[in-house]
Amino acid sequence: MAVVGSGRPPRTDVNPIVHAEVSWLLGAWLPARRDRVLVTVAGVAPDVDGLTLLAGEEAYSTYHHVLTHGLLAAALCAALLSALARRRAVVFGLALAAFHLHLACDLAGSGPGWPIWYLWPFSSEQTMWDGQWNLASWQNSLIGLLVTLAVLASALPLGRTALEVLSLRADGAVVATLRARFGRR
């Protein structure tokens, strides 16, 4: 396994808030809040390996995008989260989709030359895309803006936003404000 970014400050990943918002949007239509939260968790779960930063920059550079950015982690995550769900089969599928959407976002927008090890621990083959753009890019900014607007727009038809993952009270206030401003009560 190659050391990625060795000797340099640790690379950062796509904004975890955007990962959460994209994942929440996948499951926003689900009737049970628990299921929506579980799908959202699946979309941020790959970054658990970012905790390797606690062991130092070298550990982070070596193991981030390795330990939990692959197929095995996706399957385990989806199985665990679906076991906690009301609609288990649906949450399993959406959790797999959210997890893989996270991986696709990282492949595209975490920076050139930063692969994932999708088949780890079965293979040390790296997965990379030659069209990767920098984290601080117009593409990531535009995607982040559009995703946030979509989450806010969901307040009108659904009566909720991704903020429900953290606080029902805060989410209710945001929804009420948006509905008062944009005419849907």
Side-chain angles (χ1 to χ4, degrees):
M1 176 179 349
V3 175
V4 179
S6 180
R8 296 186 301 240
R11 296 177 176 198
T12 54
D13 217 340
V14 173
N15 187 326
I17 295 170
V18 175
H19 282 311
E21 288 177 331
V22 166
S23 302
W24 182 84
L25 285 168
L26 282 178
W29 58 273
L30 292 168
R33 176 179 178 247
R34 173 193 301 190
D35 292 349
R36 295 189 299 271
V37 169
L38 292 170
V39 172
T40 304
V41 168
V44 295
D47 281 339
V48 165
D49 65 10
L51 293 174
T52 56
L53 186 57
L54 298 173
E57 292 178 12
E58 186 175 336
Y60 179 83
S61 294
T62 301
Y63 296 110
H64 187 54
H65 280 202
V66 178
L67 301 178
T68 56
H69 278 70
L71 181 60
L72 178 62
L76 292 172
C77 178
L80 174 66
L81 295 174
S82 66
L84 303 172
R86 295 194 190 282
R87 298 180 69 187
R88 290 185 174 149
V90 173
V91 169
F92 181 84
L94 289 174
L96 273 178
F99 197 102
H100 281 87
L101 191 54
H102 178 118
L103 301 182
C105 289
D106 281 0
L107 280 173
S110 287
W114 201 10
I116 63 169
W117 282 258
Y118 186 70
L119 297 176
W120 184 89
F122 309 110
S123 168
S124 60
E125 181 179 334
Q126 299 175 9
T127 303
M128 197 162 38
W129 176 54
D130 62 1
Q132 290 173 301
W133 55 77
N134 287 317
L135 181 66
S137 66
W138 68 266
Q139 295 97 326
N140 281 346
S141 296
L142 180 61
I143 290 167
L145 174 65
L146 293 175
V147 167
T148 298
L149 290 174
V151 166
L152 292 173
S154 70
L156 302 179
L158 298 177
R160 58 182 167 261
T161 70
L163 190 54
E164 75 167 343
V165 171
L166 301 175
S167 167
L168 285 174
R169 184 176 179 183
D171 186 53
V174 168
V175 169
T177 301
L178 290 169
R179 285 184 164 182
R181 173 65 178 99
F182 297 104
R184 188 149 189 198
R185 298 189 192 286

